[in-house]
Amino acid sequence: MVRNTRLGYGLVAIVFHWTMAALILILLALGLYMTSQPPTAAATFQLYQLHKSIGFVVLTLAVLRLGWRLINPSPTLPEGMGTIERLAAHAGHAGLYALMFALPISGWLMVSASPWNIPTVVFDVLHVPHLPVPAFLGDKPAAEATLKLVHEYGAWLLIALLAGHVGAALKHHFIARDTTLKRMISTGPSKSAV
């Protein structure tokens, strides 16, 4: 893959970043809220359906975003970043990308393994079939319980990575005073903060 030596991201990458950031924050908040509600309430059912619908949108956008990134690589990291900081940045981004796929897929598998066999209809329009559940996960209740843990712990890991991601962006903007944050906000030429 050829490295992008320009200073900023293009408009498509920026739109992907902020759209997915907003949807992921909504999913996390919705997930925390809905799991605190009585599971048999009608409103809770609707919250789960909304959570699943947004999850499928995020999964679709993640596929498109990864494809876009493969043909439009991200800009090089700012000069002056140490080796450990560069490794942390790459590891953090790899973790975020992995979780953008792992969380929706684990949720989809969890719903597929549920003995309740509740259908998923994205935004009450698009019926999504269940996935085959790997046999090594055991029977449906055991598989659902395992996948629920994977999904839940993955969500907490995502929250931790997002906190680190935001913290690093703010550190670059306010302490290092480089263009890291500016290049994800604007497609125009960026100058280092003064």
Side-chain angles (χ1 to χ4, degrees), residues 101-144:
F101 287 94
L103 281 169
I105 291 170
S106 66
W108 190 0
L109 279 167
M110 179 174 52
V111 168
S112 300
S114 173
W116 292 11
N117 203 28
I118 297 171
T120 298
V121 185
V122 177
F123 297 112
D124 293 324
V125 174
L126 178 65
H127 180 79
V128 178
H130 290 308
L131 292 174
V133 180
F136 70 85
L137 291 174
D139 63 4
K140 282 196 165 198
E144 182 188 33

Side-chain angles (χ1 to χ4, degrees), residues 52-123:
K52 291 191 292 182
S53 294
I54 297 171
F56 276 107
V57 171
V58 167
L59 180 58
T60 303
L61 289 175
V63 170
L64 295 172
R65 182 178 184 179
L66 183 60
W68 181 257
R69 180 150 183 201
L70 290 174
I71 60 173
N72 293 283
S74 59
T76 55
L77 293 172
E79 291 183 27
M81 284 180 69
T83 303
I84 292 177
E85 195 175 10
R86 287 177 180 276
L87 288 172
H90 290 307
H93 284 113
L96 289 170
Y97 269 95
L99 288 169
M100 283 188 278
F101 287 94
L103 281 169
I105 291 170
S106 66
W108 190 0
L109 279 167
M110 179 174 52
V111 168
S112 300
S114 173
W116 292 11
N117 203 28
I118 297 171
T120 298
V121 185
V122 177
F123 297 112

Side-chain angles (χ1 to χ4, degrees), residues 27 37 39 45 58 83 97 159:
L27 275 174
Q37 300 305 301
F45 177 81
V58 167
T83 303
Y97 269 95
I159 289 169

